[in-house]
Amino acid sequence: MSKECKKAYITTPIYYVNDIPHIGHAYTTIIADMLAIYSRLSGLDTFFLTGTDEHGQKIEQAAKKRGKTPKEYADEISAKFKELWDEFKITYDKFIRTTDEYHIKGVQKAFEKMYQKGDIYKGVYKGHYCIGCETFFTQTQLVDGELCPDCGRETTIVEEESYFFRLSKYQDKLLKWYKENEKCILPKTRRNEVIRFVEEGLEDLSITRTSFDWGIKLPESLNDPKHVIYVWLDALMNYLTALGYGTTEDKLDYWPARVHLIGKDILRFHAIYWPAFLMSLDMPLPKHIATHGWWTRNGEKMSKSKGNVINPKEVADAYGLDNFRYFLIREVPFGGDGDFSQRALIDRINNDLGNDLGNLLNRLIGMSSKYTNQEIDSSNVEEFYKDELEKVNEHIDNLEPLLFDMQLHRYLEELWKPLAIANKAIDKYQPWNLMKEGKTKEVEALLGLIANILAKVAIMLHPVMPTTTKKISEALNFEINKDSFKKYIKEKELLNKFTIKKIPPLFPKIEEKLMPEPQQEQKPKKEQKKKEEKSEGLITIDEFFKVDLRVGKVLEAQEVKKSKKLLLLKVDLGEERPRQIVAGIKEWYKPEDLINSYVCVVANLKPAKLMGLVSEGMLLAAKDEDGLSLIRPEKPKKEGTRIS
Ligand code: ME8
């Protein structure tokens, strides 16, 4: 985020009502909430939008499956999102639904404007359509000539009359925008990805459908009732219609958005289509499109059929909402993928929150009641602890730039440094000994230093942990608001007086997992568990030999089109025909360097399909922070030689 203007418009994607909210939705919304709270605290006039995306074939089908009309179904699921955000105390200013009348009007207005401008024309669309992704793909985009490059499912060929948006016309303008605005798409690697995609050439975009009905009709002036507007044009427009575009226009001065927060799956729509639509509407472009990664569970994509979907409410109920918020933001670098594990969450709560923050507060409460009658005067902090204070201020100063760059995990990392300074100061100066020496002034100053550190950290942590930091502020007797942010953060003042109140520990230690694990990894039955405990994770030689490891020779290697990770290999294992193996090693190996080289193969793995290609084995490899290296026999060995 940048800070040039006094208004800040922050948005989440609007969520499809084809499914109930899961951890991914909560992640996006919680980050947006953090940005909105920070933005308000720093004095910006903030407008935070979220909502639901309710049109399209996917929703129509989901409703039909349940014997409901699309609207009935949308009402039900949309309410679930709203309820969850309310329970999560998300501070949104507006919840938009694409079935809202003002939104429909606004979208039709925009369509009309683009049409009048000559950016929309009528033609015939013939293409490969993925129903799951609601997206048409060109032949060159497909994997294996027919599979969706995003989800790998089969596409269907659809031929229909359609209106097109002249996306190709905006190719150069888009490239100019990306190049001139280094931070328009964050993280920067995503921007490069988009630039590469656009440089390959943009085709005009089909923006209406006649094959189903559940969508916004074209504006009446076009007199073409069989078309509905493509769900992505409809959905993206929510960012403008929520501000009254095409109707009241009452909040349009919040535009352009300061940040559209999105997941990486919807980058193309936001970073290519959306700015092109905006250019066509003569509207300014958003400041930042911030793209986060994907949450998985035990390394796997979450899906209902696997029963491994994480319900955010269950996590918040079990571990505490603020703790969950902290974990989501701290655990994974923004932009990267993250794996959800209860162990990691428990470690964060016990260590970062319990040890570093909670204990510090407890120690302060304890010392203040022992040494200063729970009143702390900070007048002498600067005299005794100038170095510590300077360092604390430096760390605090580093925070805002990290937030603006969406380096949110580093924001928290940096925020923990003042806590480390405070904890260290107690150990170094040992107030109990100072007391013995009669240095009461120094003790009070030390407590003043710690209380001030806790207060400043609480203010800056407030956007991440709003409830917990309120409790800290109550224990220290100060307020977290715009004024205290200005005084104690921006102007680096110290709070002069504290009246300390005893409160129960904020982060009681968590000893064991508080939620059941998904079915497939539930704990084994008692007897088996005992057996397993005995062997402490060791396996027998028979168990080892169940894995059929063989030497193989690579005969052919080529890239899997549209895949960043995969290579397609033909590997000779001394069998009748070579095996086809799809390996995720493209980042580290060129196909030509692999040909005729030897590899180690797991030969009795069940065949699996990757990007529509059957893989009949797996290569052994070792990966560390320097990259990946294949495991190979030291000398060439006959193809198919067993490895033991
Ligand atoms: O795409 N990990 O809606 P959607 C992290 N309606 N984030 C995840 C996630 C996961 N496993 N799964 C989902 C749509 N998300 C459109 C958006 S906007 C004009 C229209 C998050 O319900 C992520 O932010 O499929 C993703 O972009 C969003 O949920 C998509 O939710």
Side-chain angles (χ1 to χ4, degrees):
M1 298 205 295
S2 57
K3 55 174 173 182
E4 311 88 61
C5 61
K6 291 268 168 264
K7 286 196 187 296
Y9 180 32
I10 294 163
T11 69
T12 71
I14 45 170
Y15 302 111
Y16 278 131
V17 290
N18 62 340
D19 203 356
I20 55 171
H22 60 68
I23 188 173
H25 302 122
Y27 182 54
T28 320
T29 307
I30 285 170
I31 294 179
D33 194 44
M34 170 194 179
L35 300 180
I37 298 177
Y38 186 93
S39 172
R40 291 188 200 104
L41 209 53
S42 67
L44 296 176
D45 178 4
T46 303
F47 194 76
F48 171 15
L49 176 73
T50 190
T52 42
D53 185 358
E54 308 186 4
H55 290 128
Q57 200 168 8
K58 231 191 306 193
I59 313 291
E60 196 178 70
Q61 286 175 347
K64 203 167 162 199
K65 228 162 84 186
R66 290 163 180 82
K68 298 198 168 144
T69 67
K71 182 64 168 67
E72 280 167 354
Y73 179 63
D75 285 348
E76 192 185 298
I77 307 285
S78 176
K80 289 204 164 55
F81 275 95
K82 194 157 184 295
E83 268 161 35
L84 181 68
W85 304 151
D86 290 339
E87 257 179 71
F88 274 16
K89 301 192 182 78
I90 299 295
T91 63
Y92 63 85
D93 295 292
K94 188 176 177 94
F95 187 99
I96 188 170
R97 299 184 54 186
T98 54
T99 48
D100 288 339
E101 207 45 50
Y102 67 88
H103 171 76
I104 294 172
K105 283 203 177 116
V107 173
Q108 288 170 332
K109 266 271 166 55
F111 196 100
E112 204 160 31
K113 178 154 187 194
M114 292 172 176
Y115 186 77
Q116 279 161 2
K117 202 175 170 180
D119 279 352
I120 290 179
Y121 62 92
K122 198 169 176 178
V124 173
Y125 188 86
K126 184 170 178 226
H128 300 260
Y129 188 66
C130 175
I131 298 182
C133 301
E134 306 256 21
T135 311
F136 275 102
F137 294 99
T138 57
Q139 184 69 47
T140 50
Q141 288 174 317
L142 296 179
V143 174
D144 238 14
E146 58 170 350
L147 303 175
C148 169
D150 286 348
C151 71
R153 273 178 286 200
E154 263 180 38
T155 53
T156 36
I157 295 184
V158 174
E159 188 166 341
E160 61 180 43
E161 182 185 280
S162 174
Y163 287 81
F164 287 83
F165 174 74
R166 291 189 199 280
L167 188 62
S168 55
K169 167 177 160 188
Y170 289 98
Q171 178 168 335
D172 293 341
K173 276 195 183 168
L174 284 169
L175 285 170
K176 188 162 178 281
W177 180 58
Y178 308 136
K179 288 179 184 163
E180 285 174 1
N181 294 277
E182 224 197 349
K183 294 186 177 174
C184 62
I185 300 166
L186 292 169
K188 284 183 195 158
T189 46
R190 294 282 175 207
R191 174 173 151 264
N192 300 339
E193 205 177 282
V194 170
I195 292 177
R196 278 198 302 275
F197 187 90
V198 175
E199 277 173 345
E200 276 181 25
L202 293 177
E203 289 176 19
D204 289 350
L205 184 69
S206 160
I207 49 160
T208 66
R209 301 282 177 269
T210 53
S211 50
F212 62 92
D213 212 34
W214 181 236
I216 300 180
K217 298 275 179 214
L218 299 199
E220 273 179 19
S221 57
L222 270 85
N223 195 17
D224 208 347
K226 63 177 186 296
H227 289 261
V228 292
I229 296 174
Y230 173 42
V231 67
W232 270 102
L233 171 56
D234 166 354
L236 287 162
M237 275 302 298
N238 93 89
Y239 301 131
L240 278 181
T241 59
L243 302 180
Y245 180 90
T247 52
T248 56
E249 315 247 309
D250 58 333
K251 295 216 158 41
L252 267 185
D253 51 352
Y254 281 102
W255 189 259
R258 173 158 288 211
V259 53
H260 289 311
L261 197 80
I262 59 163
K264 64 179 182 181
D265 53 322
I266 53 176
L267 176 62
R268 186 157 24 111
F269 304 100
H270 283 80
I272 303 174
Y273 300 174
W274 180 227
F277 294 154
L278 287 166
M279 287 173 186
S280 174
L281 295 173
D282 301 314
M283 295 295 282
L285 304 190
K287 293 273 172 254
H288 308 286
I289 297 165
T291 315
H292 66 68
W294 210 240
W295 280 93
T296 54
R297 187 163 206 183
N298 300 321
E300 288 189 19
K301 200 170 170 172
M302 282 175 260
S303 78
K304 267 198 275 185
S305 56
K306 283 190 203 141
N308 65 352
V309 177
I310 293 160
N311 178 339
K313 185 163 156 34
E314 272 173 28
V315 185
D317 285 349
Y319 290 98
L321 176 59
D322 273 16
N323 298 346
F324 181 41
R325 286 174 67 113
Y326 174 83
F327 169 77
L328 288 175
I329 295 170
R330 176 65 186 82
E331 186 67 10
V332 180
F334 183 88
D337 291 341
D339 200 50
F340 179 85
S341 102
Q342 292 195 68
R343 201 59 264 164
L345 172 56
I346 292 170
D347 287 347
R348 289 278 173 210
I349 297 173
N350 287 345
N351 300 331
D352 301 13
L353 297 175
N355 290 347
D356 301 343
L357 174 61
N359 277 353
L360 182 66
L361 181 65
N362 289 346
R363 285 172 105 181
L364 179 73
I365 294 173
M367 289 189 294
S368 77
S369 82
K370 212 160 161 191
Y371 306 139
T372 64
N373 209 15
Q374 288 177 233
E375 299 287 333
I376 301 173
D377 185 327
S378 326
S379 321
N380 299 317
V381 174
E382 271 169 310
E383 182 186 335
F384 291 107
Y385 304 104
K386 196 161 173 278
D387 287 355
E388 281 84 358
L389 260 189
E390 271 173 15
K391 280 197 197 118
V392 167
N393 285 335
E394 260 173 47
H395 293 304
I396 301 273
D397 278 347
N398 291 338
L399 293 171
E400 197 167 86
L402 289 170
L403 184 98
F404 286 154
D405 274 349
M406 296 300 296
Q407 302 209 36
L408 306 178
H409 75 295
R410 288 199 47 213
Y411 176 99
L412 286 174
E413 223 171 60
E414 192 67 17
L415 186 54
W416 250 239
K417 290 181 183 163
L419 295 178
I421 292 174
N423 278 311
K424 221 159 125 191
I426 301 177
D427 298 340
K428 181 172 166 194
Y429 299 109
Q430 303 187 334
W432 46 94
N433 284 334
L434 293 177
M435 278 312 275
K436 277 187 212 151
E437 293 161 22
K439 295 180 175 164
T440 51
K441 224 169 116 183
E442 281 174 59
V443 170
E444 187 156 24
L446 182 63
L447 300 198
L449 171 75
I450 292 157
N452 267 286
I453 290 178
L454 275 167
K456 285 174 197 261
V457 167
I459 295 172
M460 296 306 268
L461 183 60
H462 184 63
V464 181
M465 305 185 74
T467 310
T468 309
T469 49
K470 275 266 184 273
K471 288 185 191 158
I472 298 176
S473 76
E474 278 161 24
L476 301 183
N477 193 26
F478 78 103
E479 300 263 330
I480 299 178
N481 55 30
K482 270 198 296 201
D483 297 334
S484 57
F485 179 89
K486 184 161 177 275
K487 235 162 130 179
Y488 307 123
I489 301 296
K490 289 282 140 181
E491 291 162 7
K492 302 187 172 58
E493 274 187 38
L494 291 181
L495 282 93
N496 280 331
K497 297 231 178 307
F498 293 92
T499 305
I500 307 291
K501 206 172 89 188
K502 285 190 185 166
I503 57 165
L506 292 175
F507 311 103
K509 203 167 182 74
I510 299 173
E511 303 288 353
E512 57 184 58
K513 292 181 187 173
L514 301 176
M515 283 168 22
E517 289 291 343
Q519 286 302 311
Q520 72 258 43
E521 53 165 24
Q522 236 165 26
K523 282 181 202 130
K525 292 203 179 85
K526 250 189 188 166
E527 319 77 74
Q528 201 180 329
K529 194 176 160 211
K530 265 197 197 140
K531 219 166 138 193
E532 274 182 16
E533 271 168 5
K534 251 195 223 156
S535 57
E536 289 170 8
L538 303 179
I539 58 167
T540 63
I541 189 81
D542 292 343
E543 280 168 322
F544 171 70
F545 277 122
K546 277 190 194 157
V547 183
D548 187 14
L549 293 170
R550 303 275 168 176
V551 172
K553 186 173 178 186
V554 180
L555 302 179
E556 291 170 27
Q558 64 187 74
E559 297 189 346
V560 173
K561 258 196 210 150
K562 298 287 165 205
S563 165
K564 276 191 236 121
K565 295 193 178 146
L566 301 180
L567 290 184
L568 180 65
L569 312 177
K570 287 270 155 57
V571 182
D572 185 357
L573 294 189
E575 299 165 327
E576 225 167 78
R577 61 167 187 87
R579 299 270 188 118
Q580 168 165 296
I581 295 180
V582 185
I585 56 173
K586 188 167 164 183
E587 264 178 77
W588 300 278
Y589 288 91
K590 288 201 190 106
E592 57 272 24
D593 298 339
L594 287 169
I595 293 172
N596 288 330
S597 75
Y598 288 85
V599 286
C600 298
V601 178
V602 181
N604 61 341
L605 207 59
K606 262 195 192 157
K609 248 190 175 178
L610 297 163
M611 297 282 281
L613 298 165
V614 178
S615 183
E616 302 166 312
M618 187 177 86
L619 304 190
L620 294 190
K623 190 170 153 199
D624 62 10
E625 55 284 4
D626 295 328
L628 175 141
S629 167
L630 286 172
I631 311 291
R632 302 171 184 281
E634 194 190 9
K635 294 184 197 134
K637 284 278 148 212
K638 223 162 112 215
E639 295 82 343
T641 306
R642 179 139 200 189
I643 301 170
S644 56

